[in-house]
Amino acid sequence: DDLGRRITLARPAHRIVALSPHATELVIAAGASDRLVGITAASDTPERLAAVPRIGGPGALDRERVLQLQPDLAVGWHSGNRAQDLDWLDRTGIALFRSEPTDLADIAATIRALGRLAGTEAVADPAADAFVLGLRTPCAKYPPRPAYVVVWERPPMAIGGRHWINDALHAAGFQNQFAAHDAGAFAIAPEAMLAAAGGAQRIALMPGLTGRAAEIADLLSRPGPQLPRAVQLLCELRTVPWR
């Protein structure tokens, strides 16, 4: 998995629980959507998964429900799920794949890995290839345009250099103004945010946006197979003012 832990199953996984929206998307991309027996609550869950039991939301997992579902594989988000829930899963003996991508290559590798765990390599490997191909844009060849990513405004929060979003920005021809800050999402003084705004592209990930800005915010907000679309849209907007 993304922590370098080897996940071994006696047979391909047939009962999978996904512990975050992006984990659900990765399992689907790997061709194992029919193996999902539990997912977390999310407003953008595909309609075909409407009947799949919910095992929690942004907070705690429903541990009792997870045990009732008898999964042979759980796909968790190392920094997004509660540490105590992930540690509990390890103690139960349920195989746990911890997703924690640092760049876009990790996401493609996860799609392939989940395909191996589910025995769906025939779908997963082409999906991973398509993911990598979809990240190629002409914008990556241009001199990078400065940008900054706003996660929240009150208090101000931005994306630093230790985040996979920087890889997406680079593919679209942008350079994060705060890449030198060794952090993922971090609080920033309003004055520093204003200073970054001068001549730089503002990319917002907050709710309440409209139009293309809202679409990009949604696509860019989680490390899943939808990111090539976000990169393509950012490339299209690279030479025009943000709205």
Side-chain angles (χ1 to χ4, degrees):
D1 63 7
D2 286 341
L3 302 191
R5 309 183 318 158
R6 183 173 296 277
I7 313 300
T8 303
L9 300 177
R11 59 188 61 83
H14 283 278
R15 298 184 65 82
I16 302 174
V17 292
L19 312 183
S20 72
H22 91 271
T24 300
E25 292 177 348
L26 290 169
V27 172
I28 293 171
S33 62
D34 61 333
R35 319 288 177 84
L36 284 166
V37 297
I39 60 177
T40 54
S43 60
D44 54 357
T45 300
E47 185 176 349
R48 66 182 181 276
L49 299 181
V52 176
R54 273 34 178 186
I55 55 174
L61 293 179
D62 184 339
R63 297 183 182 186
E64 183 177 354
R65 191 68 182 275
V66 170
L67 292 176
Q68 290 172 347
L69 293 171
Q70 299 182 318
D72 46 22
L73 176 65
V75 184
W77 183 12
H78 181 65
S79 63
N81 291 122
R82 298 196 319 166
Q84 55 266 47
D85 285 331
L86 297 180
D87 292 342
W88 169 79
L89 275 167
D90 277 331
R91 293 194 298 272
T92 68
I94 298 170
L96 172 62
F97 185 103
R98 297 194 186 217
S99 171
E100 188 65 17
T102 59
D103 56 32
L104 300 184
D106 285 344
I107 298 171
T110 293
I111 295 172
R112 296 184 196 278
L114 293 177
R116 289 195 293 275
L117 289 169
T120 56
E121 297 97 329
V123 175
D125 288 344
D129 291 341
F131 177 88
V132 173
L133 184 62
L135 297 171
R136 298 177 183 174
T137 74
C139 292
K141 302 176 183 179
Y142 303 155
R145 179 178 178 180
Y148 63 103
V149 181
V150 182
V151 179
W152 204 251
E153 288 188 319
R154 297 178 183 177
M157 295 188 71
I159 293 294
R162 190 156 30 94
H163 201 288
W164 51 265
I165 280 180
N166 289 284
D167 219 11
L169 293 177
H170 176 76
F174 291 101
Q175 173 64 38
N176 184 3
Q177 292 280 78
F178 298 116
H181 193 87
D182 187 25
F186 67 98
I188 182 172
E191 296 80 6
M193 187 74 83
L194 285 174
Q201 184 78 61
R202 180 180 187 270
I203 300 171
L205 301 186
M206 295 94 64
L209 302 172
T210 59
R212 183 164 290 186
E215 182 180 4
I216 292 177
D218 176 62
L219 295 170
L220 201 60
S221 65
R222 55 194 181 277
Q226 77 290 338
L227 283 171
R229 171 64 177 165
V231 168
Q232 296 291 337
L233 288 174
L234 284 171
C235 179
E236 292 175 11
L237 290 169
R238 184 185 178 279
T239 58
V240 299
W242 190 263
R243 293 289 183 263

